[in-house]
Amino acid sequence: MPMKGDGTAEYRTIDRWDGGVGWLAYPNEEMQRASHALVGDDGGVWVFDPVDAPGLDDLFAEYGEVSGVVVGLDRHTRDAARVANRHDAPVYVADWMTGVADDINAPVERFGRRLGDSGFDAFTVKDSSLPPWQEVGFYHEESGTLLVPEAVGTAPYFHAPGERLGVHPMLRPLPPRRPLRRYDPERVLVGHGEGVMDGAGTALRAALAGARKNLPAAYGKVLREMLS
């Protein structure tokens, strides 16, 4: 199983509810790069960290017209420009992120604590130079939807025994408890793997509390691969 899919993408939907949908463009890849199209308060579709695939425009159309495409992690430019240009929409990048906008071949809009007219609050998950990491999370209070692009996930290499949601292997020594523990979401959507659609608040608290002591079985191997 490859870390990242290659060849022609064939997406599989995940995390579907009346407020949006997610997809895995390459369902068999080990990284399980997840993307989401969420309905905003403006009635438009906000596309988060997209990996493109044939047929996605039909998926978006089920929920409305695309208002914007969002980059939630400095390493998640993915196919943001391609999707944005196809829908004549801007790419949204947090106003404090550096070295991201220059890599996007599409119009860029900056945002602060609110993501345009989407109704999502934006908050800093991590901003550090060691390791290099710029991540912004999103929370929609009315729907109870929390989206975390990288710090937590459900792909197998995030998991420790008994966890439904796991802290990223590189962040387990210093998990991002302060920015995340304030939320008690109804659902947690992630950038790697399927979201947690029930009991999400409990799963999030357990992941943060056990990050240092409850390690994935292949923790050392995964960490070496990520640092290589």
Side-chain angles (χ1 to χ4, degrees):
M1 181 184 298
M3 284 293 287
K4 284 187 179 182
D6 53 14
T8 302
E10 186 175 351
Y11 76 88
R12 174 170 64 85
T13 58
I14 57 173
D15 306 340
R16 186 188 283 272
W17 86 106
D18 58 2
V21 66
W23 71 93
L24 300 175
Y26 298 90
N28 294 322
E29 69 178 11
E30 190 171 352
M31 291 188 72
Q32 294 188 16
R33 290 171 296 166
S35 312
H36 293 87
L38 307 182
V39 179
D41 288 354
D42 61 347
V45 174
W46 292 76
V47 183
F48 292 81
D49 294 345
V51 180
D52 202 7
L56 280 182
D57 293 345
D58 293 334
L59 181 65
F60 300 159
E62 295 180 29
Y63 293 88
E65 295 185 2
V66 174
S67 293
V69 179
V70 188
V71 174
L73 179 77
D74 52 358
R75 303 185 295 276
H76 277 189
T77 53
R78 294 179 172 177
D79 296 319
R82 183 187 305 173
V83 173
N85 288 331
R86 201 162 65 229
H87 290 270
D88 195 24
V91 176
Y92 283 76
V93 178
D95 55 14
W96 53 269
M97 280 186 171
T98 60
V100 178
D102 292 343
D103 294 333
I104 297 172
N105 188 23
V108 172
E109 294 279 350
R110 294 287 192 165
F111 64 89
R113 296 185 179 181
R114 296 279 287 182
L115 176 60
D117 297 323
S118 69
F120 280 85
D121 295 327
F123 61 96
T124 302
V125 177
K126 188 171 182 62
D127 180 15
S128 72
S129 56
L130 191 65
W133 200 299
Q134 299 177 86
E135 181 178 1
V136 57
F138 305 92
Y139 184 66
H140 192 273
E141 185 172 6
E142 185 176 347
S143 68
T145 301
L146 177 66
L147 191 154
V148 184
E150 188 82 359
V152 295
T154 64
Y157 59 91
F158 278 82
H159 276 174
E163 289 183 336
R164 299 177 62 210
L165 182 70
V167 172
H168 191 287
M170 290 185 68
L171 298 186
R172 283 185 178 258
L174 293 171
R177 290 174 177 154
R178 181 173 293 179
L180 294 178
R181 66 186 175 189
R182 74 185 79 169
Y183 299 106
D184 186 19
E186 291 187 22
R187 65 186 60 82
V188 177
L189 309 178
V190 297
H192 294 275
E194 298 186 16
V196 178
M197 306 297 282
D198 61 89
T202 299
L204 179 61
R205 289 188 293 272
L208 295 173
R212 294 181 182 177
K213 58 186 178 182
N214 194 20
L215 300 178
Y219 178 73
K221 176 179 179 291
V222 170
L223 198 58
R224 286 193 298 272
E225 288 181 357
M226 289 182 171
L227 293 173
S228 63

